[in-house]
Amino acid sequence: MEFLDSFKSELEVVSPGRINLIGEHTDYNMGYVLPTAIEKNITFNFQKNGTTDTCSVYSKTFDTGFEFNLKEVARSEVEWRNYILGVVNEIQKRTNRLQGFDCILESNLPTGSGLSSSAALECGLAFGLNELFNLGLTKLEMVQLSQTAEHTYAGTQCGIMDQFASVMSKEGHVILLDCQSLESNYIPINLYPYKIILLNTKVSHNLATSEYNVRKKECEEGVEIIQRKYPKVRSLRDVTPEILDACKMDLPEVIYKRCSFIIAENKRVLDMTEHLKKNELERVGKLLYEAHEGISSFYEVSCPESDFLVEFSKKYDTVLGARQTGGGFGGCTLNIVHQNGVEAFIKEAFAAYKSKFDIELEPFEVKPTGGTSAKELV
Ligand code: GLA
C-alpha cells in the first residue's frame, strides 16, 4: 500500500486479548463474568494523513490491507474489515470528528482461538482514534461502541465482556464484572505455585457465530416463558434455582438446559471469587471442571477437541482444573497446572492430541495483565 513507504507513526496503541476464568455466556444474560487481559495483543501505529476522509489500514501480520472513505463506511464481505469499519462508523455517529488516518497493525494474538482478537481489534482502534483526534470518549464509551460495532457490522450479538476486559483489565487481577449494572471490582489472582496454561485446540468450528446467536435467543425464550409466571423477571439474572424449578414443566427441555447452565454459571463466578480471595486453589480447579461439564452437556457449546483436552487433563494430579474458555466450539482450554508439572503435561497433551486429531496443539502460559494502552510518539 502506498502510504507504507512514508509512514511516520504518531501514536502506538497496544490492545490485548483476554481469557475468562469463569462465567461463560452470562454477560448477555446480565450476569457475572471474571475475565482478564493477557500478554497476547495487537499493536497499532497511527498517523493522520492530512486528508479529510481517506483512511488506510494495513495488517503486517497478514500482509493485507484496505482503503476506505469516511463518507461511505459500508459493511464489507471481508470479515476482519468489519471490526474496523464498524468501530469507525460508531465513532462517526457519536462524534463526526474523524479525519483521514493511516494505521498499521501487528498481532501476536492467535485469531479464532477464543481469546477475543476481535475485541482487541475494535478496542485498540477506538482507543487510537480517540487519542489521535482528541475525541474525549471515556473508556466505557469505547467499550460500548466497540460492542455495538460487533453487533451491527460483524453480526455477533455479543455481550460486553470481551471489550470490557480488553480495555479495563489490571495486571495481576481478574475483573469481577456485573454485566447488569456494569459495576466492576478487581480481584487479585495469585495462583502460585500454579500457572495458567492455555492449550489452543487450533479449531474454531464455523458454527460459532450462528450458534452463539441461537443461544442468545434460547435464553430470551426462556425468560419469556418464565415471565408468564414471574412477571418481574427481566433476564436470567433474576431467575433463582427455585423459580427455574417451578417453571420446569413449562420450558422445552433444551431451553431448560440453557437456563439452568446460566443460573449455575452465575453462582460459580461468585463462588470462584470467594475461592480466589481465600486462596482455595483446589476449589478453583474443581469449579473449572464443573463449568466445563455445563458448557459441554447443558449449554452445548463445546466440541470433541475441547472435551478431549479437558478430559485428558483429569489424569494429572498436577492439574487442578480445566475448561474451554470463550464463546465456544473450539479455541483454547484453560488449565491450572502446578509449575513442576507443566512440562510433562504440555508434552503429553501435545502427543495425545496429535495422535487423536492430527493437529499440533499450541500450548502457552498466560498472565493477567493490564488493558489497552497508548503511547504518543511525536
Ligand atoms: C464471546 C462473546 C462474549 C461472551 C463469550 C462467552 O467471547 O464476545 O460477549 O458472551 O463469548 O462467554
Side-chain angles (χ1 to χ4, degrees):
M1 294 181 85
E2 235 172 71
F3 80 91
L4 293 172
D5 297 335
S6 56
F7 185 81
K8 189 161 182 302
S9 182
E10 293 173 43
L11 174 73
E12 184 178 284
V13 170
V14 177
S15 187
R18 62 102 189 88
I19 52 166
N20 183 22
L21 189 60
I22 205 157
E24 227 58 270
H25 294 268
T26 44
D27 59 355
Y28 55 83
N29 285 304
M30 301 299 124
Y32 301 102
V33 290
L34 207 57
T36 173
I38 54 173
E39 288 149 322
K40 295 252 177 207
N41 48 44
I42 305 177
T43 301
F44 298 68
N45 276 280
F46 293 92
Q47 70 174 7
K48 291 189 202 121
N49 62 21
T51 69
T52 49
D53 40 36
T54 308
C55 305
S56 305
V57 178
Y58 172 74
S59 161
K60 251 189 184 172
T61 315
F62 297 104
D63 187 21
T64 177
F66 67 107
E67 248 188 36
F68 61 95
N69 191 299
L70 286 175
K71 289 210 200 82
E72 39 187 320
V73 186
R75 277 190 71 187
S76 165
E77 294 295 302
V78 184
E79 201 187 336
W80 75 276
R81 294 185 187 178
N82 283 322
Y83 299 113
I84 307 278
L85 296 166
V87 166
V88 167
N89 179 54
E90 288 306 319
I91 292 184
Q92 278 301 62
K93 276 206 289 195
R94 284 165 177 75
T95 69
N96 205 23
R97 282 178 47 207
L98 292 180
Q99 296 194 337
F101 68 88
D102 304 322
C103 172
I104 299 180
L105 307 168
E106 203 168 357
S107 172
N108 61 24
L109 184 57
T111 50
S113 56
L115 303 177
S116 285
S117 54
S118 54
L121 191 52
E122 294 150 3
C123 295
L125 183 72
F127 216 85
L129 295 179
N130 185 48
E131 292 279 319
L132 201 64
F133 296 104
N134 270 315
L135 303 176
L137 297 166
T138 64
K139 282 187 173 182
L140 187 59
E141 282 171 325
M142 291 189 269
V143 165
Q144 287 172 322
L145 73 84
S146 296
Q147 182 197 9
T148 307
E150 183 131 355
H151 294 176
T152 52
Y153 274 60
T156 305
Q157 298 302 314
C158 66
I160 201 168
M161 168 172 74
D162 301 348
Q163 292 78 9
F164 199 97
S166 186
V167 172
M168 307 287 196
S169 287
K170 182 167 156 186
E171 195 181 336
H173 294 73
V174 286
I175 309 175
L176 172 61
L177 173 64
D178 176 338
C179 298
Q180 181 159 273
S181 65
L182 295 186
E183 192 187 316
S184 62
N185 281 292
Y186 293 109
I187 312 293
I189 172 167
N190 179 9
L191 300 175
Y192 181 83
Y194 289 83
K195 290 176 185 277
I196 306 175
I197 304 295
L198 296 189
L199 301 179
N200 184 359
T201 62
K202 298 247 202 83
V203 298
S204 78
H205 294 286
N206 52 14
L207 284 169
T209 304
S210 58
E211 283 300 307
Y212 186 94
N213 293 340
V214 168
R215 290 299 172 282
K216 182 158 187 265
K217 279 226 164 64
E218 287 169 341
C219 292
E220 286 163 1
E221 195 183 326
V223 170
E224 266 171 40
I225 295 172
I226 294 167
Q227 278 171 338
R228 292 180 202 151
K229 268 197 185 131
Y230 296 89
K232 285 200 182 134
V233 162
R234 289 156 304 163
S235 68
L236 288 181
R237 168 67 175 275
D238 301 331
V239 180
T240 60
E242 293 72 32
I243 293 181
L244 185 68
D245 233 25
C247 296
K248 187 167 182 183
M249 301 312 283
D250 308 322
L251 293 163
E253 197 191 330
V254 167
I255 305 293
Y256 174 80
K257 278 163 79 177
R258 307 298 188 244
C259 295
S260 65
F261 167 75
I262 296 296
I263 292 162
E265 185 78 348
N266 270 326
K267 178 164 187 306
R268 280 191 284 267
V269 176
L270 299 178
D271 290 347
M272 180 67 95
T273 305
E274 288 311 305
H275 298 327
L276 286 177
K277 285 182 183 163
K278 295 186 194 141
N279 212 34
E280 295 167 337
L281 298 186
E282 303 257 328
R283 292 189 169 193
V284 165
K286 203 165 154 268
L287 276 182
L288 294 181
Y289 280 133
E290 277 175 34
H292 189 78
E293 180 56 33
I295 285 168
S296 184
S297 310
F298 280 71
Y299 217 63
E300 295 177 280
V301 292
S302 186
C303 60
E305 293 86 351
S306 297
D307 286 346
F308 174 82
L309 287 175
V310 169
E311 214 36 54
F312 181 83
S313 76
K314 291 182 181 163
K315 291 197 278 197
Y316 291 80
D317 290 341
T318 50
V319 180
L320 290 183
R323 69 176 197 85
Q324 177 188 261
T325 184
F329 302 102
C332 293
T333 63
L334 181 158
N335 306 262
I336 309 285
V337 190
H338 193 285
Q339 60 183 19
N340 297 341
V342 171
E343 216 184 303
F345 173 62
I346 286 179
K347 198 168 148 228
E348 287 157 32
F350 185 96
Y353 192 70
K354 172 94 179 139
S355 95
K356 174 92 181 163
F357 297 104
D358 199 23
I359 302 173
E360 296 198 345
L361 196 67
E362 186 191 4
F364 49 94
E365 182 187 351
V366 290
K367 292 186 183 139
T369 180
T372 317
S373 63
K375 194 162 71 188
E376 302 254 352
L377 299 173
V378 284

